[in-house]
Amino acid sequence: MSRLEAKKPSLCKSEPLTSERVRTTLSALKGIVASCYGPSGRLKQLHNGLGGSVCTTSQSSALLANLSVSHPILKILTTSVQNHVSCFSDCGLFAAILCCNLIENVQRLGLTPTTAIKLNKHLLSLCTSYLKSEVCGCRIPVDFSSTQILLCLVRSVLTSKPACMLTRKEVDHVSTLILRAFLLTIPENTGDHIILGNSIIVPLKGQRVVDSTVLPGILIEMPEVRLMNILPVKKSDSFKVALFRVSLSGDLSDTGEGSVVVNYGVSLENAVLDQLLNLGRQLVSDHVNLVLCQKVIHPSLKQFLGEHRVLAIDRVGAALMEPLSKVTGTQPIGSLGSVSPSSYGNVKDLCTEKFGFKWFFHLIPNEATVCSLLLCNRNGTAWDELKLTCQTALHVLQLTIKEPCVLLGGGCTETHLAAYIRHKTFNDPESILKDCGCTPTELQLIAEAFCSALESLTGSLEHDGGEILTDMKYGHFWSVQADSPSVGSWPDLLTRCGCGLHNSLEELSWSFLKTARHPFAPLPCLPHEAVGSANNLTLDCFTAKLSGLQVAVETANLILDLSYVIEDKN
Amino acid sequence: MAAEGAVKAALQVAQALETIVSGCVGPEGRQVLCTKPTGEVLLSRDGGRLLAALHLEHPLARVMVACVSSHLRKTGDGAKTFIIFLCHLLRGLEAVTDKEKDSLISKNIQTHGRYWKTCCRWKFISQALLTFQTQILDYVVDRYLSRHFLSVFSSPTKERTLCRSSFELLLEAYFGGRVGRNNHSFISQLMCDYFFKCTACEGGFEEAFELVDDRFGELSVGVTGLPVSDSRILAGLVLHRDFSVYRPAGGDIRTALVTETIQPLFSTSGSEFILNSEAQFQTSQLWIMERTKAIMKSLQNHNVKLLLSSVKQPDLVIYYAELNGVTVVECLSSEEISLIQRITGLSPLVLPQASSQYEISSTALVKFCKPLVLRSKRYVHLGLISTCSFIPHCLVLCGPVQGLVEQHEAALHGAFKMLRQLFKDLDLSYLTQTSDQNYVPSPLIYKNRESNQLADTVNGSIQRPHQDPVEKNEGELAKTHTYLNTYSNSVVPSIELETHIFRSTPKVTPAGTQQTDEALGCLSANKTRIMDVCDLFIDGDPTTESTAENTRIEASFENVSIPKMGGKGSMLPVRCKSSELGTSRSCCFSSISAGCVLPVGGHFEILLHYYLLNYVKKCQQSEATMVGTLIANALLGIPKILYKSKRGNQSFPQVYVRALHALQTNQPMGGNQTGLESVSGKYQLLTSVLQCLAKIVSIDLVIGIKRQPQEVYDQESEEEL
């Protein structure tokens, strides 16, 4: 009772968005995330000033997880982006920047939050229904008969993370590896439901990136000494495997809530060891070749098994249990007594391999959807970044299988979408006005704020002081280098649009993104065969981007709707 | 602190709270962001939560917050309105006392004397408030307000069926005040679907309400990182954990429940297990193994394919489950277990200590049992077959941040609380007091007596056509009952006839009753069953309505008139109670019956304001006049805030004038607001506020102490122990 303290009263602030402090912190956050965006984004080095590891990154997941934000409004923003990233892996920076832009733009207008929120929501639903519709001009269906588009997608993910420090050649190598690893997880014969396997990323730091490789089956790291001691003898064309979930160390498990009294002279250790050796005898007589245990195997049992040419590997860990059971087709054994013969599984081959300076056991399955991606990079931080990127790419591929289409990347989707919204609100405002009950001026203001939020998001792709343009036919994104002469014919200065679908030799007209343009209906992209031939496209994951867009607008609406902030100071 | 100062201070506190709360009230209200000391952020528009988050220090503020939270515990709604109404009451009270102070000063009373005088006066006011609330307020609500009530039930039959459209309107209005503007229609639609999916059969929704209210946490799953529009309803039950063993099985899946480990242990608590030899140890281990194996085998023999366990099962059990094709879910919380038990009526397995025969006593059938992946987290999805009136469904609530998901969860839970409250009859206090013989005479009791006498006369006159006149005696109460019974027993066609006679009684037999006009008014005021039946047939004001209007009575006998709700054109049944309903609850006297609603947008407040002022005009007592006017004016504060942002035709003065005009000319009150709100909730709020005010006013001094006040222990009960 003496430790009970009176609660301090909370701090209550009204209209938080109007305060100068919130605005500056918001724009500071925007500055951080926007400078990371895209292939030429700047890297951020995170360290705590007291030593310890340093994280060099430009990814939203690593950045936001380590960034401690002070203001509750920023906390809402960052957690909502983090939640999005944990669901979809990709498009975190996209959502964060868009959300900041929207808040800034709408706040500047000074409209009542009610109308702003209503209209934002309406514009969002316009966007989502357009992106989902058949007529959408920035969406490409995925053709699974060729790897072209999937490879482009993976490559786009890799190039957008500059902290991985990959050269062009390395990008190509790693993206093929990722795609191969992904394809290995797809089962060959499927029923109604496809259950994808998993690819396990095995770390190998300090090696060249091009040494990375993909292997079917599972790699278990082994100290070299132990490998020399016990090498299994090849007996047949497949190996019988027993996988134990229960500890084989001879410890006495839960004895209940009461007490157990052991009389003097009774050695439980011997009794348990007898039991373990009996188990060992059964395993030997069942012709098991490989014993795997999640926990620890008693040294005596290990020795016994070794004497009988049975390979024993312990301390596998809980994480590997599921893939191991999948690869070998075993049922994890939980009994020290009799083992049912149906619990055993088998592998096709078993070998030891050396990658870099590490030795591995390699379990090669007969047929399974588990593979190991052995990932190398020069140093620890770059490896961490590369691992995150690979996970993102694998997740993006999984999402693409569920929803077989991709969006144009490189800023083209955003500018195209902005052009579409401009055109729609300019030519057909009645339907929106009827639904929302607002004036045409309010609609025009909010639509402008929404579109310029999208466009200045694409502006964040350019970090080197170049100019951003858009063409007046497809509404794609074009950038021109900073040091180019200010006057000149555009087709000479520009080469390809952001996604790489169009080149400057087509007869197009351009306009600066910042200047006012007459609204036009953006044309859909090329017919499919042209898309197929273009092998250097920049693409984005459809599901992740769509959700990123929704999360950004919903979060912005949420923050705009705040009338008070109550801070608990306890 | 002087009592006068107390009111002033209370007003200051209430005003500060009002400014915060009024920003979130109504459909136009905005969100508030609360941070917890742990760093979590929470979005809320819930008044109770906001007040709690403020951690107020001021003693009067703490009194108010305590009153609000006790009100919330009862009804689960109305915290914001509570504060606004309280603030307006205090403001009115201050204005009144300011006026009187001037007159007091002119009388040149000594300061000390005046202090005590004001104290007495405050006590007096406090008492007046309470008397007003218990006597006059109930009377006014019953007498006048009740005829405006609508009902969420579509038919007046005994098994009350919900009218879906009015139910939707009710929920929409509720969520309009609870969740963010861009989500409220989606969430209310979700809630509506959920409700109708869970209670597919007619009636019996009280049980479902109770179950959902009690176990809401287990019936909803929050998913962060997805847009709100991804929220959905899943048939079946979602358990917040993954399978320990999953063996897909077809056909009929039977399930069993265990609350202990299946594998026998060496010793149970309080016992000792003595090991004498190694062989003994080995045999006992063998026995344990064999026994576990046998139990799992017998589960398989009984076709049990799913084992739900509240504890973690040892590896051995998991292994044998896997071998026998039994799916296992472990570590279920006690809430989940009790929910499953309530839905399926399953009882946990009792594992016999010694016998080798394992009888699986209780199993239940499950439609399906499959893993569910929500945002890369795995859940168990069970298709339980319900044995009660609740059909299990789960809500998956999505949102970009946890704070928003929690807000929606709280709002949905609150909605169930509100509905539970709405579907209960709320007894009013005032007629029950007439049966109390020791009741202090007041104008009110006078009227009641009158009306009871009239009830007798009417009783006789109605029964004349088909029954012998019942003797008059002094047990008025019993008499009313008799009347009720005979009335409700009569066959349907005769009801029309009876009403006809009943309505024309005053005209036909004016000599038989003492003061026809007055008595009729009193009869209607008397909220007995008779009045309920009466309400059925009239929708105008009974006192002003001419009894010759037989056609009108017949027209309204159709039971339903169709007022158009603004814009939506939905059909709303007029509140009507059949005689059947009456018999089932003939023991309760005056009540706001279950399912009574009024349109939102200050309807209740304006109506009550109007009738209170009307009452006050007729009333002679100065105290009651003062309190009545005070309350009537304070009531308007809520619609004032609701219409604050509206301009022109929809501004508050315009709406108010139109409503008053409509009331004076006996026309239905028009309103452009769609949505309904519970009358009993509003009424309870009113009484809670008045009680809170009475409490605040009656405090004359606040004393600061260093320690917590010592709790008063009930010494006798301790001695008994």
Side-chain angles (χ1 to χ4, degrees), chain A residues 10 86 114 121 263 275 561, chain B residues 53 181-182 273 276 285 375:
Chain A
S10 306
S86 67
T114 324
K121 198 186 173 200
N263 282 347
Q275 209 178 6
D561 203 13
Chain B
R181 245 164 304 181
N182 38 357
F273 180 77
N276 290 318
Q285 278 212 317
R375 195 212 148 175

Side-chain angles (χ1 to χ4, degrees), chain A residues 424-497:
Chain A
K424 195 88 183 159
T425 49
F426 187 78
N427 286 324
D428 184 25
E430 281 78 20
S431 63
I432 306 171
L433 293 177
K434 205 171 62 196
D435 284 358
C436 297
C438 58
T439 63
T441 330
E442 284 169 336
L443 173 64
Q444 285 310 320
L445 282 173
I446 292 287
E448 185 54 41
F450 192 90
C451 294
S452 71
L454 275 173
E455 284 168 351
S456 62
L457 166 72
T458 63
S460 314
L461 281 170
E462 181 59 62
H463 299 281
D464 302 312
E467 282 294 344
I468 314 283
L469 298 112
T470 179
D471 65 274
M472 305 295 281
K473 190 173 170 193
Y474 302 107
H476 277 214
F477 168 94
W478 304 76
S479 74
V480 74
Q481 280 180 359
D483 49 358
S484 56
S486 55
V487 259
S489 64
W490 288 121
D492 300 336
L493 293 173
L494 304 165
T495 47
R496 281 199 162 272
C497 71

Side-chain angles (χ1 to χ4, degrees), chain B residues 622-651:
Chain B
S622 68
E623 275 306 325
T625 318
M626 197 273 275
V627 174
T629 329
L630 180 72
I631 295 175
N633 288 329
L635 275 168
L636 286 186
I638 294 145
K640 265 180 200 159
I641 287 181
L642 288 176
Y643 288 100
K644 200 166 57 183
S645 65
K646 299 278 166 54
R647 293 277 168 275
N649 204 22
Q650 287 305 314
S651 65

Side-chain angles (χ1 to χ4, degrees), chain B residues 6 95 123 141 173 187 231 294 296 305 312 314 346 374 438 442 461 479 490 511 545 560 563 586 640 669 703:
Chain B
K123 201 178 160 197
V141 168
I187 294 286
S231 306
M296 295 311 288
K305 298 215 176 95
K312 173 126 185 66
L346 199 65
L374 293 171
N438 305 324
S442 73
S461 66
K479 201 65 175 297
S490 57
E545 188 181 83
V560 258
S586 60
K640 265 180 200 159
M669 259 171 84
I703 305 172

Side-chain angles (χ1 to χ4, degrees), chain A residues 390-410:
Chain A
C390 285
Q391 282 171 339
T392 306
L394 285 168
H395 195 182
V396 159
L397 286 171
Q398 283 172 10
L399 292 174
T400 309
I401 275 212
K402 274 189 209 153
E403 191 88 43
C405 50
V406 287
L407 287 176
L408 298 176

Side-chain angles (χ1 to χ4, degrees), chain A residues 265-478:
Chain A
V266 177
S267 160
L268 289 188
E269 288 75 19
N270 282 343
V272 176
L273 197 56
D274 274 354
Q275 209 178 6
L276 284 178
L277 290 178
N278 275 336
L279 179 69
R281 262 173 232 123
Q282 196 201 343
L283 291 173
V284 171
S285 69
D286 285 342
H287 304 292
V288 171
N289 303 111
L290 174 62
V291 174
L292 294 161
C293 181
Q294 180 187 341
K295 293 160 189 167
V296 181
I297 303 180
H298 196 283
S300 314
L301 179 61
K302 226 183 229 176
Q303 195 188 0
F304 174 85
L305 291 172
E307 280 164 11
H308 290 84
R309 301 309 233 164
V310 177
L311 182 58
I313 299 171
D314 61 349
R315 299 171 212 253
V316 169
L320 266 186
M321 286 304 278
E322 206 197 317
L324 272 177
S325 136
K326 208 182 256 174
V327 162
T328 56
T330 54
Q331 270 175 4
I333 300 163
S335 153
L336 293 181
S338 59
V339 175
S340 153
S342 65
S343 318
Y344 299 129
N346 52 58
V347 288
K348 191 175 166 197
D349 200 1
L350 192 63
C351 55
T352 55
E353 267 170 277
K354 191 182 180 209
F355 295 103
F357 51 89
K358 277 184 183 171
W359 283 93
F360 293 94
F361 256 125
H362 186 194
L363 271 67
I364 303 166
N366 286 317
E367 178 196 344
T369 55
V370 178
C371 68
S372 300
L373 175 59
L374 197 78
L375 208 56
C376 312
N377 209 344
R378 280 165 291 263
N379 58 49
T381 44
W383 187 85
D384 289 340
E385 183 83 2
L386 183 60
K387 184 198 169 199
L388 265 180
T389 311
C390 285
Q391 282 171 339
T392 306
L394 285 168
H395 195 182
V396 159
L397 286 171
Q398 283 172 10
L399 292 174
T400 309
I401 275 212
K402 274 189 209 153
E403 191 88 43
C405 50
V406 287
L407 287 176
L408 298 176
C412 288
T413 294
E414 288 87 345
T415 46
H416 182 93
L417 210 53
Y420 170 77
I421 294 290
R422 279 224 171 82
H423 169 73
K424 195 88 183 159
T425 49
F426 187 78
N427 286 324
D428 184 25
E430 281 78 20
S431 63
I432 306 171
L433 293 177
K434 205 171 62 196
D435 284 358
C436 297
C438 58
T439 63
T441 330
E442 284 169 336
L443 173 64
Q444 285 310 320
L445 282 173
I446 292 287
E448 185 54 41
F450 192 90
C451 294
S452 71
L454 275 173
E455 284 168 351
S456 62
L457 166 72
T458 63
S460 314
L461 281 170
E462 181 59 62
H463 299 281
D464 302 312
E467 282 294 344
I468 314 283
L469 298 112
T470 179
D471 65 274
M472 305 295 281
K473 190 173 170 193
Y474 302 107
H476 277 214
F477 168 94
W478 304 76

